[in-house]
Amino acid sequence: MDIDILDTLYLFQKEHQMAVKTLLMIGGSGMAGGWIKRWTESFSDRVQIVGLCDVLPEVLENQGQTLGLGQDQLFTDFQEAVEKIRADFCGVATPPPFHSPAVIAALEAGMPVICEKPIGDTLEAAKAMVQVSQKTGLPCTIIQNYRYARNKQEIIRIRDEGRLGRLQHIMGRYACDYREYGAWGKNWRHDMEFGLLFEGSVHHFDMLRFLSGGDCETLTGFGWNPEWSSFKHPSSGLYLMRMDNGVHTCYEGNSSAAGITNCWHREHYRLEFEAGCVEIAGGNTVTIHRIGQDPEVYEAPEIPYEGHDHLFDEFLNWLDGGAPSDTRIEDNIKSFALVIAAMETTLDGQPKQIADYLSDLA
Ligand SMILES: NC(=O)c1ccc[n+]([C@@H]2O[C@H](COP(=O)([O-])OP(=O)(O)OC[C@H]3O[C@@H](n4cnc5c(N)ncnc54)[C@H](O)[C@@H]3O)[C@@H](O)[C@H]2O)c1
């Protein structure tokens, strides 16, 4: 091929990649409202929202006005939305029971999908999503925003560069004061089954996979609901995991915290390495303890994109032919399986082998 043709091809591909992608959003307020703000404020040169679906007409009206959408671009039914709007991709940020039907409908209609955590509300629903993503060959990724924080990324560097030698175990602590009904943003989180696990611990189990660098082999533990809890199901639990790289993890989850809190973005993680231990909690501070020495305290370096912004950028790059998202659905189901295993061990007190939950997936 001569140079002119190669140049033209390159320019065409570049132009094609730079083209603004169209987005159908399912969900318009709550976390979905946050997504819309991000897409329009931080990604307006790469993404344009061309359709919106929400079950609440007032949400549709308000967001429709903000986004300049006509009546033919607003829907109360996701099925109708995916039939009528052919966007470059679809975003789903509704409560968990509505993820699976909307994601599957969007994939079947030919749209790649980016979806909020947890994958779904049941293992069957989540597996159906994985299977449709595999069948259609379309990208599907799940939000795990907490991985993309400066202090977490620094821990990965400490581990991978072997700065403190080998890692033996990790303690993770989440504790929020949600003793008042409704304190956790929405009433449904207090009423749903195993809200701690599905809405909260899914982040922390995923984080323990991320920080350990392994996948869970065996999970065991307990969950309970204190008499003074504002939840219908266990607000609290202690779970142990043995990972397939030999690292052990221990997780404390508490949505009825009344003393020391480690709530969202301030969860406490302590990693025990061969030559010292590392602690992180809120902010960007990393503390390294070595016996006989003063603690080494420093700010983790900046990262290009944090939280959702990282995931949005990574997903758009994937659509342009870049690497698949680290939290693509095929990988993230390994974090979601831990929620199901923790729920079952809470109910029957038996240790769970995670392979048993995923053996029927390709
Ligand atoms: N990644 C995070 O840090 C984080 C934080 C909070 C919530 N979330 C996740 O975001 C999702 C939404 O949580 P939320 O608190 O924003 O919920 P929410 O109850 O506020 O619902 C979000 C929006 O979805 C709409 N909606 C509900 N059912 C719908 C349906 N069937 N079709 C279309 N729209 C529908 C609601 O009207 C609302 O506008 C959940 O999966 C939750 O786990 C993630």
Side-chain angles (χ1 to χ4, degrees):
M1 228 183 272
D2 73 32
I3 292 292
D4 283 352
I5 294 175
L6 277 176
D7 277 349
T8 312
L9 193 61
Y10 173 74
L11 285 174
F12 169 80
Q13 283 174 339
K14 199 153 176 60
E15 197 180 314
H16 185 67
Q17 287 177 7
M18 297 300 283
V20 171
K21 292 186 173 33
T22 53
L23 162 62
L24 167 63
M25 260 309 293
I26 305 201
S29 71
M31 179 43 79
W35 278 38
I36 290 171
K37 200 164 168 339
R38 264 172 216 284
W39 289 123
T40 52
E41 288 180 3
S42 308
F43 290 87
S44 59
D45 56 337
R46 297 168 74 184
V47 172
Q48 187 194 357
I49 298 176
V50 293
L52 176 65
C53 170
D54 199 289
V55 285
L56 297 177
E58 63 271 23
V59 170
L60 277 184
E61 197 185 316
N62 290 341
Q63 289 287 24
Q65 268 177 19
T66 309
L67 295 167
L69 300 178
Q71 285 307 315
D72 58 344
Q73 294 169 292
L74 301 175
F75 305 88
T76 49
D77 174 32
F78 68 84
Q79 196 66 51
E80 192 188 347
V82 301
E83 278 163 20
K84 296 209 169 136
I85 301 286
R86 283 303 149 95
D88 292 322
F89 70 103
C90 177
V92 177
T94 58
F98 313 110
H99 291 179
S100 187
V103 168
I104 288 175
L107 288 168
E108 299 275 17
M111 286 181 273
V113 179
I114 180 164
C115 175
E116 261 302 341
K117 49 56 63 173
I119 298 183
D121 59 339
T122 65
L123 188 59
E124 293 65 37
K127 282 184 178 173
M129 293 159 77
V130 174
Q131 280 155 351
V132 175
S133 167
Q134 288 173 337
K135 184 186 76 180
T136 57
L138 290 170
C140 180
T141 204
I142 304 296
I143 296 289
Q144 289 292 345
N145 42 315
Y146 289 91
R147 290 179 173 213
Y148 305 104
R150 286 165 58 176
N151 54 4
K152 317 294 187 312
Q153 295 289 324
E154 176 65 0
I155 283 192
I156 300 303
R157 281 188 289 270
I158 292 171
R159 185 197 71 199
D160 288 353
E161 292 168 11
R163 284 187 221 166
L164 292 170
R166 290 163 289 186
L167 174 62
Q168 58 162 325
H169 70 270
I170 308 178
M171 308 293 288
R173 179 174 202 263
Y174 148 88
C176 286
D177 177 10
Y178 292 144
R179 287 172 296 166
E180 198 171 308
Y181 184 71
W184 196 354
K186 299 278 153 55
N187 292 348
W188 57 261
R189 288 200 180 85
H190 295 253
D191 296 338
M192 69 185 284
E193 293 195 351
F194 295 98
L196 168 72
L197 299 176
F198 282 84
E199 278 294 288
S201 315
V202 67
H203 281 295
H204 310 121
F205 292 150
D206 182 73
M207 185 59 68
L208 290 167
R209 281 184 63 221
F210 183 56
L211 295 179
S212 70
D215 290 326
C216 179
E217 260 176 15
T218 308
L219 181 149
T220 188
F222 299 97
W224 62 93
N225 205 22
E227 280 174 21
W228 55 92
S229 160
S230 61
F231 293 82
K232 290 194 174 150
H233 269 252
S235 72
S236 311
L238 289 169
Y239 297 97
L240 290 172
M241 292 193 280
R242 185 172 56 232
M243 314 306 274
D244 60 3
N245 59 355
V247 174
H248 289 75
T249 74
C250 176
Y251 167 66
E252 173 191 357
N254 183 5
S255 290
S256 294
I260 300 169
T261 57
N262 289 105
C263 203
W264 298 110
H265 299 280
R266 292 185 294 108
E267 291 94 333
H268 184 266
Y269 293 95
R270 172 163 52 81
L271 289 86
E272 296 285 330
F273 287 92
E274 202 173 350
C277 78
V278 187
E279 267 189 302
I280 55 166
N284 300 314
T285 307
V286 175
T287 306
I288 301 182
H289 304 265
R290 298 176 184 86
I291 289 174
Q293 296 180 25
D294 288 338
E296 179 188 344
V297 184
Y298 63 97
E299 294 294 285
E302 285 184 20
I303 53 176
Y305 287 103
E306 297 204 15
H308 282 75
D309 285 353
H310 176 101
L311 288 143
F312 287 5
D313 173 64
E314 187 188 47
F315 183 70
L316 293 173
N317 293 340
W318 186 9
L319 298 188
D320 279 335
S325 305
D326 282 346
T327 62
R328 59 193 174 279
I329 196 165
E330 289 95 331
D331 181 84
N332 196 249
I333 194 142
K334 295 178 195 163
S335 297
F336 186 65
L338 304 179
V339 168
I340 304 299
M343 179 178 76
E344 292 185 358
T345 198
T346 299
L347 291 170
D348 67 13
Q350 298 302 309
K352 302 298 167 195
Q353 303 306 316
I354 302 310
D356 293 345
Y357 292 87
L358 301 174
S359 56
D360 55 340
L361 280 180

